Amino acid sequence: MEVRTKVVYEAPKADAVELKTERIVCDSTNYVMWFLEGGTPNTLSSQDTEWDRTGYGSVEDF
Amino acid sequence: MTRRTVIAAVFLMGAALWTSCRKEDDLSKDDAPSVEVPEGCLWLSLQASKGADTKALALAGSTINAYWVQDEPVKVFLEGTLIGTLSATPNGTDNTKATLSGTLTQTSGVVADAVLTLLFPRETWNYTAQAGTLDAIAANFDYAVATATVKSVVGTTVQTEGSVTFRNQQSIYRFGFTKGGNAYDPKDFTISAAGGKLVQSFGYSSGWAPAYGDITVTPASAPGDHLYYVSLRNESTAADTYNFQITGSDDALYFATKSIAADKLGEQGKFLSATGIAVSQPAFSPAPSGVIEAPENVL
């Protein structure tokens, strides 16, 4: 079972820094848990891996 | 990191630790979620993020670079089924790299050695109705694909093997037109490929069955450098010819052609440029107004 909500906290006078409450998920053990980013049930995470985007390279005339 | 940012970070960490020590019964109304949460079942993820304002595509000299933008979506498929959407957090120092994270709505089959297909930014792609700028391409016509092999599933977290690179699925073309030896700015132009393999649209869910056809470009205004950027996926592997049907600023009809060698087409993800494409009017001219009488031998 999964329930989602999103609450955004904006730190006063801290430009571009925000705190997001993104996911509320019920796990099978029925424990209440609060945690920082990571470890969400059924979460695909690339926290150990950064994903690259290739550019389009240098111009080729035709 | 500025003093202000440090103070904000300390504040955020303090808030997180404070909330981590409270029981569910202690939640204030301000902190309560906006949806009903089953009793005794509550997980919360907190994330501090810093917005990125980098353009997704940027021309640096003669090179087009691609960057991740904050919260860009990536769709995750397993054997043809959409199982989740990830969100990008750019590296910050090198925004060609990003961390992707999100929740999978299906876990069945997500086991070690399973191959996931990741589609940026969505699973249906469309190249029609472009505007002729890099910004427009970045917003609507820039598509990339990656595959990732599941390394392990620990608890409820899926880890993938190694680094993954997203490959662009089209090339970006730069066209420049001339008329009478001078740079020429069309009101709009439609591109067709003689080989008939110019993709208008396709989608992963439909097995990538492409729809081929013309691509129309309607610039919002004439660019200062008289150059137009178009995202094209031409699946021809042989030499081809692009035909342009152009509406001039005078609303007159013009034509132009440009051939392209096979070695430019065999692989997507290139930055291809053709400038100085001469436009000309067709040999025929519109019929004059009034009654047109058929020759006697026709009736």
Side-chain angles (χ1 to χ4, degrees), chain B residues 6 12 17 36 68 72 81-82 88 100 128 156 166 170 180 190 202 207 224 227 246 261 270 279:
Chain B
V6 170
L12 297 177
L17 292 173
E36 184 179 349
W68 290 101
E72 279 185 318
T81 301
L82 177 64
L100 303 176
T128 59
T156 54
F166 279 79
Q170 58 284 312
T190 297
F202 64 164
L227 298 174
I246 300 166
K270 295 180 177 178
V279 305

Side-chain angles (χ1 to χ4, degrees), chain B residues 15-295:
Chain B
L17 292 173
W18 174 67
T19 55
S20 70
C21 297
R22 291 185 298 162
K23 297 177 182 178
E24 185 185 19
D25 293 342
D26 295 332
L27 289 174
S28 69
K29 289 184 178 179
D30 290 341
D31 289 338
S34 57
V35 296
E36 184 179 349
V37 178
E39 185 176 356
C41 304
L42 191 63
W43 281 49
L44 177 64
S45 174
L46 302 175
Q47 179 181 351
S49 63
K50 195 167 187 176
D53 56 2
T54 306
K55 286 186 176 182
L57 295 175
L59 180 64
S62 60
T63 300
I64 293 177
N65 296 315
Y67 300 101
W68 290 101
V69 174
Q70 184 71 39
D71 295 332
E72 279 185 318
V74 171
K75 301 290 184 178
V76 183
F77 280 80
L78 174 64
E79 298 177 349
T81 301
L82 177 64
I83 63 171
T85 302
L86 306 182
S87 182
T89 301
N91 174 287
T93 303
D94 177 6
N95 287 348
T96 63
K97 302 176 183 299
T99 296
L100 303 176
S101 59
T103 301
L104 303 182
T105 56
Q106 174 187 310
T107 58
S108 175
V110 183
V111 297
D113 298 328
V115 177
L116 305 176
T117 300
L118 295 97
L119 306 178
F120 166 84
R122 54 185 172 270
E123 65 273 31
T124 56
W125 301 350
N126 193 308
Y127 296 99
T128 59
Q130 299 194 37
T133 66
L134 274 182
D135 286 348
I137 293 173
N140 294 303
F141 310 104
D142 182 27
Y143 307 108
V145 170
T147 58
T149 301
V150 175
K151 180 179 180 182
S152 62
V153 180
V154 179
T156 54
T157 298
V158 181
Q159 294 291 340
T160 55
E161 290 185 347
S163 60
V164 176
T165 298
F166 279 79
R167 303 289 180 187
N168 297 313
Q169 297 300 300
Q170 58 284 312
S171 291
I172 292 180
Y173 287 72
R174 182 173 65 187
F175 296 117
F177 303 99
T178 61
K179 177 170 174 273
N182 298 316
Y184 183 74
D185 293 308
K187 186 175 182 179
D188 62 53
F189 57 98
T190 297
I191 308 167
S192 61
K197 293 290 187 179
L198 200 55
V199 174
Q200 284 187 320
S201 62
F202 64 164
Y204 180 77
S205 299
S206 60
W208 295 122
Y212 298 114
D214 301 344
I215 303 296
T216 296
V217 180
T218 307
S221 59
D225 58 5
H226 312 290
L227 298 174
Y228 298 86
Y229 294 85
V230 186
S231 175
L232 297 178
R233 179 179 172 90
N234 188 347
E235 295 185 344
S236 173
T237 56
D240 206 350
T241 299
Y242 290 123
N243 297 305
F244 301 87
Q245 180 175 305
I246 300 166
T247 303
S249 56
D250 54 358
D251 286 328
L253 183 63
Y254 297 86
F255 289 105
T257 63
K258 181 62 182 174
S259 60
I260 183 168
D263 66 330
K264 305 295 185 188
L265 294 173
E267 185 178 330
Q268 305 296 332
K270 295 180 177 178
F271 175 24
L272 302 169
S273 177
T275 57
I277 302 173
V279 305
S280 60
Q281 285 190 289
F284 62 87
S285 57
S289 59
V291 177
I292 300 177
E293 295 185 0

